[in-house]
Amino acid sequence: MGVFVGELHISTQAQEIVREITAPLQKGDYVIFNPTNDKGKEVEFRIDDAREVIAQSYLASQRERFIILSAPSYSIESQNALLKILEEPPQNVHFVLIAPSKNALLPTILSRLHTHIHKIQKTFAPFELDCKKLTLAGIYEFLRECDRQNRTTTEIKEHIQALLFALHKSAIVLTRAELEAFDEAIKLADSYVRESYIFLPLLLKIHNKQKGGR
């Protein structure tokens, strides 16, 4: 199987996406995981939901089966569990995740899924540093400015995404370990860690990469 083992659909109209995907399929060829509370409201995808997905994924089938996950957010624990099966997917299983934003998922999850955006894509402000010409002095000034901005958790995660986009635009390919560093950055943002502390190891890794380091 290739790099991508499924699809990610970015949309706030999850039910429409589910209908489009399942319309041409037979009933037994797909299963939908859409956690809700006792009032029918969609809730976060949690570790117990991920365990159910994993169990369902290993049911034998001679035909391609679609495992469809839809939630407004995905817990870090559930994503870590899902990552294991996305890295070594069972035969004939195709994963489809639906989320309202890329920020809902870790970079290592995103790297395994072919992304389809069904809404106007949010435009990030250009990242402040030239990723191809990082200097220690430039990194230092950038980190000082980060602390002056006092961004919210959401804004910090968007800033991390802006760095990822800048790296992609600069044709800088990240290794698995480097992608995991971005996963850790997202977790730190959710834990209200100071923004400069989050960006320091990321930027030093990129700077070291430019210098031919490992």
Side-chain angles (χ1 to χ4, degrees), residues 4-11 17 21 69-71 74 79 86 94-107 109-118 161:
F4 297 123
V5 299
E7 307 169 15
L8 168 64
H9 293 264
I10 302 299
S11 176
I17 303 301
I21 293 170
L69 288 61
S70 175
Y74 294 77
Q79 293 187 63
L86 290 176
H94 188 83
F95 294 95
V96 178
L97 275 69
I98 304 172
S101 167
K102 277 189 175 184
N103 285 338
L105 297 168
L106 297 171
I109 294 284
L110 294 174
S111 70
R112 304 297 293 166
L113 303 170
H114 185 69
T115 301
H116 303 271
I117 298 176
H118 299 268
Q161 291 284 352

Side-chain angles (χ1 to χ4, degrees), residues 111-173:
S111 70
R112 304 297 293 166
L113 303 170
H114 185 69
T115 301
H116 303 271
I117 298 176
H118 299 268
K119 62 178 184 178
I120 298 175
Q121 187 174 9
K122 183 167 185 175
T123 301
F124 294 113
F127 194 71
E128 298 93 318
L129 298 175
D130 184 343
C131 293
K132 289 185 174 181
K133 299 178 181 178
L134 287 182
T135 65
L136 293 178
I139 291 172
Y140 175 72
E141 288 302 324
F142 170 83
L143 297 175
R144 290 186 63 189
E145 182 60 26
C146 281
D147 288 338
R148 284 193 288 265
Q149 290 297 320
N150 194 28
R151 294 182 177 90
T152 65
T153 296
T154 297
E155 289 170 339
I156 292 173
K157 289 196 286 187
E158 289 177 352
H159 206 192
I160 295 168
Q161 291 284 352
L163 173 56
L164 270 173
F165 180 75
L167 290 169
H168 175 73
K169 191 173 181 181
S170 298
I172 298 174
V173 179

Side-chain angles (χ1 to χ4, degrees), residues 9-24 32 34 42 68 70 96 98-99 118-119:
H9 293 264
I10 302 299
S11 176
T12 56
Q13 303 297 320
Q15 295 306 313
E16 291 184 10
I17 303 301
V18 171
R19 284 194 291 270
E20 290 177 10
I21 293 170
T22 58
I32 301 169
N34 180 215
E42 291 185 329
I68 303 171
S70 175
V96 178
I98 304 172
H118 299 268
K119 62 178 184 178

